[in-house]
Every structure is written in structure tokens, then in C-alpha cells.
Amino acid sequence: MASGAFITLEGVEGSGKTTQSRLLAEWLKAAGHRVTVTHEPGGTRAGQAIRAIFLDPGVSLEVAAELMLVLADRAQHVREKLRPALDSGEIVISDRYADSTVAYQGYGRGFDLNLLRELNRLATDNIMPDLTIVLDCKVATGLTRIHDRMNRAGDTVLDRFEGQAADFHGRVRQGFLEIAQQEPQRVSIVNAEEPLERVTAQIRQRVDRLLAGR
Ligand code: Z5A
């Protein structure tokens, strides 16, 4: 049984997961916790190679192959990085995890949700988060933030998912909201349309509650 705390941040793209993962880690470290920040896909060396294929819109991928890649990334991530960190008592923060597969490959691509839960059980070795924050915002808000970020960086190439139609991202958002409804003990929704500082405060409140109860 893992002894640390496992927190995941989920949501549509541009909802602020990467920014908030970093801010949460800084806050927890300042309070004296040992923290590992990681992400999916790509949290390990093997994962980085998988991520490159997974996101490259120039590499043609069947949706079943896309699913298998993200599961392979998770299987490696859990065994190489997450479980050891949790076993040593660290707080692990992951920017995306198993709920992303249910939202993107399930609600987005249309794979059977029960099949995905079984596959996730295999990939995760039954390690599920103690707390999941779904950063919820309109698809258009997230995409605008991504486009602004790309413009600032002079980047013009959309990845495999950024190029999907708005209704795909709409189904994904709905997927995250339904997961939160089904598992209210684990999953908490935070309004990511709010200014950055307010989102940060909401997340801290939920993490405080988790840590106080341990
Ligand atoms: N995927 C999948 O299909 N199945 C799976 O099982 C898994 C993943 C695990 C990974 O892409 C893709 O893989 C993902 C799903 C799929 N694709 N999509 N869509 P990624 O890792 O490259 O990207 P991402 O996870 O979608 O994250 P992102 O695009 O980098 O966005 P983010 O991390 O949520 O947001 P951010 O980088 O923190 O913020 C974006 C910008 O908004 C930035 O300039 C911030 O300063 C700004 N920001 C953040 N919060 C705010 C607020 N509150 N107000 C104003 N501006 C803000």
C-alpha cells in the first residue's frame, strides 16, 4: 500500500494544469513536504519517446494504437516513477493520469468506458489518485490560451489533439464533468475560468483538506 499522497490535475487543454501543478508543488515544498511533479504522457524516458509519436500530427495513428500508446506510457510511469515516490512517502502531483484516457479515448474517441476502466486497472497497477482536481473551463477559453501561448512562442504547429474539432473537446470536457459526478469523494471541480490566483487558492483549499485528513 502506497504511503504518500497522490494528486492529479485534469481538464481540457489550456485549463491551467501545468501552471497549477508547478504552483502547487512550490507551495507544498515551502511547507516542508517532499514532492514529485510529473505528467502524462511523457513522465519517463520511455514516455518521452511515446509522447513524441503520440502528439505528432504527422504520424498517422489508428485510434486503437493511440489508446495503446497512452496505456504503455502509464504502465511505465506508474512502475518506474509513481509507485517508488509514493512508497517513499512523497506527495506526487501528476499533470494528467487515468481520467484523461476515459475523457479523451472514451468520451472523445468513443471507446467503451468499461473496457477503458479495465485497461486502466492494468496500466495503473490499481494506483488511483487520493485527490483529482478537474480544472473546468469552456473549450474556447482553453484553446484561446493555447493559441496566445503559441503566438508568444512563435509556434505554429498544432499537435494531434489541438487540431481536433471543437465538438471533440466538448465531449472531453463533458467526460471530465461526468467522472467528477460519479466519484465525488475523489474528484473535485475547480472553475478554471477564474483568475489564476483564485484557481490556485481553490486548489490549495482542497489539498489542505486532503492532507489534514491523513
Ligand atoms: N491525452 C490523451 O488523449 N489520453 C491520455 O490518457 C492522456 C493524454 C494522459 C497531452 O498534451 C495530450 O494528450 C492532451 C490529451 C492527450 N491533449 N489535449 N488536448 P499536452 O501535455 O501537450 O497538453 P495538455 O495536457 O493539454 O496541456 P496544455 O495544453 O499545456 O495546457 P494546460 O497545462 O492545461 O495549461 P497551462 O500550460 O498551465 O496554461 C496555458 C496558458 O494559459 C498559459 O499561458 C497560462 O499562463 C495561461 N493560464 C493558465 N491558467 C490561467 C487562468 N486561470 N487565467 C488566465 N490564463 C491562464
Side-chain angles (χ1 to χ4, degrees), residues 124-158:
T124 61
D125 203 15
N126 286 316
I127 294 190
M128 282 305 280
D130 300 295
L131 171 67
T132 295
I133 306 282
V134 170
L135 292 177
D136 181 56
C137 67
K138 292 190 212 98
V139 169
T141 303
L143 290 179
T144 301
R145 288 179 188 165
I146 296 299
H147 288 136
D148 289 348
R149 189 180 64 190
M150 287 175 75
N151 285 339
R152 284 198 299 274
D155 195 356
T156 53
V157 184
L158 295 172

Side-chain angles (χ1 to χ4, degrees), residues 13-14 16-19 51 96 101 104-105 149 152 194:
E13 73 182 313
K17 300 172 303 300
T18 310
T19 307
R51 179 185 172 91
R96 296 197 182 281
T101 306
Y104 280 86
Q105 279 66 48
R149 189 180 64 190
R152 284 198 299 274
E194 301 254 25

Side-chain angles (χ1 to χ4, degrees), residues 10-20 39-41 51 54-55 66 70-71 73-74 95-102 104-105 135 142 145-146 148-149 152 159 161-162 168-169 192-197 199:
E10 299 277 11
V12 295
E13 73 182 313
S15 54
K17 300 172 303 300
T18 310
T19 307
Q20 294 296 344
H39 62 278
E40 288 193 359
R51 179 185 172 91
F54 185 73
L55 291 183
E66 174 190 290
V70 87
L71 292 167
D73 170 76
R74 184 160 307 127
D95 176 351
R96 296 197 182 281
Y97 190 61
D99 295 321
S100 276
T101 306
V102 176
Y104 280 86
Q105 279 66 48
L135 292 177
R145 288 179 188 165
I146 296 299
D148 289 348
R149 189 180 64 190
R152 284 198 299 274
D159 73 27
F161 292 92
E162 287 160 355
F168 172 85
H169 291 289
E193 297 274 349
E194 301 254 25
L196 200 77
E197 303 72 33
V199 177

Side-chain angles (χ1 to χ4, degrees), residues 13 21 77 108 126 179 183 204-205:
E13 73 182 313
S21 297
H77 191 210
N126 286 316
I179 292 168
E183 292 185 70
R204 286 180 182 176
Q205 219 175 62

Side-chain angles (χ1 to χ4, degrees), residues 43-204:
T44 63
R45 180 125 187 254
Q48 285 163 19
I50 292 170
R51 179 185 172 91
I53 300 171
F54 185 73
L55 291 183
D56 185 347
V59 176
S60 157
L61 272 184
E62 294 294 327
V63 288
E66 174 190 290
L67 169 63
M68 297 303 162
L69 283 178
V70 87
L71 292 167
D73 170 76
R74 184 160 307 127
Q76 185 67 27
H77 191 210
V78 165
R79 289 154 183 84
E80 182 180 322
K81 197 164 180 182
L82 296 187
R83 185 184 279 286
L86 290 170
D87 283 347
S88 80
E90 292 193 30
I91 297 177
V92 175
I93 301 167
S94 187
D95 176 351
R96 296 197 182 281
Y97 190 61
D99 295 321
S100 276
T101 306
V102 176
Y104 280 86
Q105 279 66 48
Y107 288 84
R109 299 288 196 217
F111 278 98
D112 179 74
L113 298 181
N114 288 323
L115 170 69
L116 293 183
R117 287 192 190 100
E118 281 308 307
L119 291 170
N120 257 336
R121 229 190 298 282
L122 173 68
T124 61
D125 203 15
N126 286 316
I127 294 190
M128 282 305 280
D130 300 295
L131 171 67
T132 295
I133 306 282
V134 170
L135 292 177
D136 181 56
C137 67
K138 292 190 212 98
V139 169
T141 303
L143 290 179
T144 301
R145 288 179 188 165
I146 296 299
H147 288 136
D148 289 348
R149 189 180 64 190
M150 287 175 75
N151 285 339
R152 284 198 299 274
D155 195 356
T156 53
V157 184
L158 295 172
D159 73 27
R160 186 180 308 282
F161 292 92
E162 287 160 355
Q164 290 291 319
D167 69 328
F168 172 85
H169 291 289
R171 290 197 300 279
V172 170
R173 180 188 184 194
Q174 187 55 31
F176 283 122
L177 294 177
E178 288 186 22
I179 292 168
Q181 217 167 36
Q182 288 154 12
E183 292 185 70
Q185 299 281 52
R186 173 177 70 86
V187 186
S188 200
I189 299 171
V190 165
N191 181 2
E193 297 274 349
E194 301 254 25
L196 200 77
E197 303 72 33
R198 287 182 61 102
V199 177
T200 305
Q202 294 286 313
I203 294 172
R204 286 180 182 176

